[in-house]
């Protein structure tokens, strides 16, 4: 199976998590952590529900993955529907994540290639990063959410 096919398959699972966030009134971002073709953790944003600005899908998913596998996620891939911010990109680096795959680029706060890239040789560990996977679907969910707020 090709990387692209795997990327799209797992991104669809992350989109399911993003839809759950959307339905709960949260910014619709979802994340899936995968190791050896098995889903280790799933999460979506819960910032509003928890009142915690750090309750991003990526952080929650990484935390659940580290509880299951230990503090180093060197053999794991994180799929997330929106390019991670500085906080989440830093968490990917510090968890020693192998690969990050994201859907929509974030020209405002994206720190994995758009505004800046914290995952590529800035620190002792670099994270292999792929962006734009199922971008139209990921972007549409975000657009629908923010249009509904206006």
């Amino acid at each position: 199976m090709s990387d692209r096919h795997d990327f799209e398959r797992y991104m669809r699972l992350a989109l399911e998590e993003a839809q759950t966030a959307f339905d709960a009134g949260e910014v619709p971002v979802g994340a899936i952590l995968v190791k050896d073709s098995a889903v280790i953790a799933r999460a979506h944003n819960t910032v509003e529900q928890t009142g915690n600005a750090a309750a991003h899908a990526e952080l929650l998913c990484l935390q659940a993955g580290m509880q299951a596998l230990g503090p180093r996620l060197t053999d794991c891939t994180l799929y997330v529907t929106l390019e991670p911010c500085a906080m989440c990109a830093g968490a990917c680096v510090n968890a020693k994540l192998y690969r990050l795959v994201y859907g929509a680029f974030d020209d405002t706060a994206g720190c994995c290639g758009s505004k800046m890239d914290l995952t590529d040789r800035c620190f002792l560990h670099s994270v292999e990063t792929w962006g734009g996977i199922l971008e139209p679907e990921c972007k549409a969910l975000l657009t629908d959410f923010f249009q509904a707020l206006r």
Side-chain angles (χ1 to χ4, degrees):
M1 196 177 308
S2 72
D3 279 346
R4 182 74 183 192
H5 179 63
D6 283 344
F7 290 174
E8 290 179 1
R9 179 167 58 109
Y10 291 116
M11 189 60 70
R12 290 191 194 292
L13 295 176
L15 275 164
E16 290 174 8
E17 287 294 320
Q19 184 65 53
T20 300
F22 182 99
D23 294 343
E26 297 279 352
V27 174
V29 178
I32 302 291
L33 185 69
V34 175
K35 179 180 179 178
D36 299 328
S37 301
V39 175
I40 304 302
R42 303 171 69 114
H44 56 272
N45 278 0
T46 61
V47 171
E48 300 301 323
Q49 175 188 350
T50 62
N52 179 357
H56 288 197
E58 303 95 306
L59 285 183
L60 298 172
C61 201
L62 290 171
Q63 288 169 349
M66 288 184 273
Q67 285 179 340
L69 301 173
R72 301 290 176 257
L73 301 175
T74 55
D75 297 329
C76 296
T77 299
L78 180 68
Y79 296 85
V80 61
T81 57
L82 179 64
E83 180 181 358
C85 66
M87 173 179 67
C88 296
C92 290
V93 170
N94 285 320
K96 304 220 181 305
L97 186 69
Y98 167 64
R99 181 188 294 144
L100 168 69
V101 178
Y102 62 88
F105 291 88
D106 185 349
D107 294 332
T108 303
C111 288
C112 300
S114 290
K115 272 301 223 198
M116 63 180 61
D117 192 349
L118 298 178
T119 60
D120 187 26
R121 293 183 215 107
C122 289
F123 305 102
L124 290 176
H125 178 75
S126 293
V127 179
E128 179 184 314
T129 304
W130 295 73
I133 305 301
L134 299 182
E135 182 177 19
E137 293 94 323
C138 295
K139 196 179 236 182
L141 194 57
L142 288 158
T143 299
D144 290 349
F145 178 79
F146 288 111
Q147 283 180 348
L149 288 179
R150 293 183 187 132

